Amino acid sequence: MDQMPNCPKCQSEYVYHDSINFVCPDCGNEWDNNEIQESDEDQLIVKDSNGNLLVDGDDVLLIKDLKLKGSSEVLKKGKKFKNIRLVNGDHNVDCGKIMLKSEFLKKA
Ligand SMILES: [Zn+2]
C-alpha cells in the first residue's frame, strides 16, 4: 500500500482514502490524486549541455570556467553543485547561492 500523501491544503498527515478521493479530516479538503499527478506537466523542461533532462534535486558539474558577474570570483570547471532547483528564466538552474544556465552544466 502506498503511503498516504499529506493534505496539499493544510499539510495534515491524517489523510484517508475513500475509494475515489483522498480526504483530509482536518480541513475537509477532498482531492483526486490523479489530478495532482497530471499537474506535474507544468514542470519545467531543462536540459544540460548533453541534452539530458535535469530535475529538482539533481547534482550537476560545471563544464567550463565561469566568471561571476560583479566579482573577481571564478567558478572552476568541474565544480559540483548539489541539490539544484529548476526555475523559469534565462538562468534556469538555482544552485543554492548562485543561478546558472543549464547549458554550462552537466548531470553529475
Ligand atoms: Zn487538510
mmCIF file of all heavy atoms in Angstrom, residues 7 10 24 27, ligand 1:
data_model
loop_
_atom_site.group_PDB
_atom_site.id
_atom_site.type_symbol
_atom_site.label_atom_id
_atom_site.label_comp_id
_atom_site.label_asym_id
_atom_site.label_seq_id
_atom_site.Cartn_x
_atom_site.Cartn_y
_atom_site.Cartn_z
ATOM 1 N N CYS A 7 -2.010 16.347 3.156
ATOM 2 C CA CYS A 7 -3.018 17.217 2.550
ATOM 3 C C CYS A 7 -2.328 18.378 1.830
ATOM 4 O O CYS A 7 -1.492 19.061 2.420
ATOM 5 C CB CYS A 7 -3.944 17.758 3.629
ATOM 6 S SG CYS A 7 -5.095 18.989 3.021
ATOM 7 N N CYS A 10 -3.497 21.839 3.849
ATOM 8 C CA CYS A 10 -3.053 22.178 5.208
ATOM 9 C C CYS A 10 -1.893 21.304 5.674
ATOM 10 O O CYS A 10 -1.430 21.438 6.796
ATOM 11 C CB CYS A 10 -4.217 22.070 6.192
ATOM 12 S SG CYS A 10 -4.718 20.362 6.516
ATOM 13 N N CYS A 24 -9.173 14.894 3.707
ATOM 14 C CA CYS A 24 -8.458 15.406 4.880
ATOM 15 C C CYS A 24 -9.473 15.735 5.967
ATOM 16 O O CYS A 24 -10.323 16.604 5.776
ATOM 17 C CB CYS A 24 -7.667 16.658 4.501
ATOM 18 S SG CYS A 24 -6.935 17.462 5.931
ATOM 19 N N CYS A 27 -9.145 19.760 7.445
ATOM 20 C CA CYS A 27 -9.683 20.963 6.804
ATOM 21 C C CYS A 27 -10.823 20.631 5.847
ATOM 22 O O CYS A 27 -11.398 21.514 5.248
ATOM 23 C CB CYS A 27 -8.578 21.716 6.048
ATOM 24 S SG CYS A 27 -7.983 20.867 4.578
HETATM 25 ZN ZN ZN B 1 -6.208 19.440 5.022
#
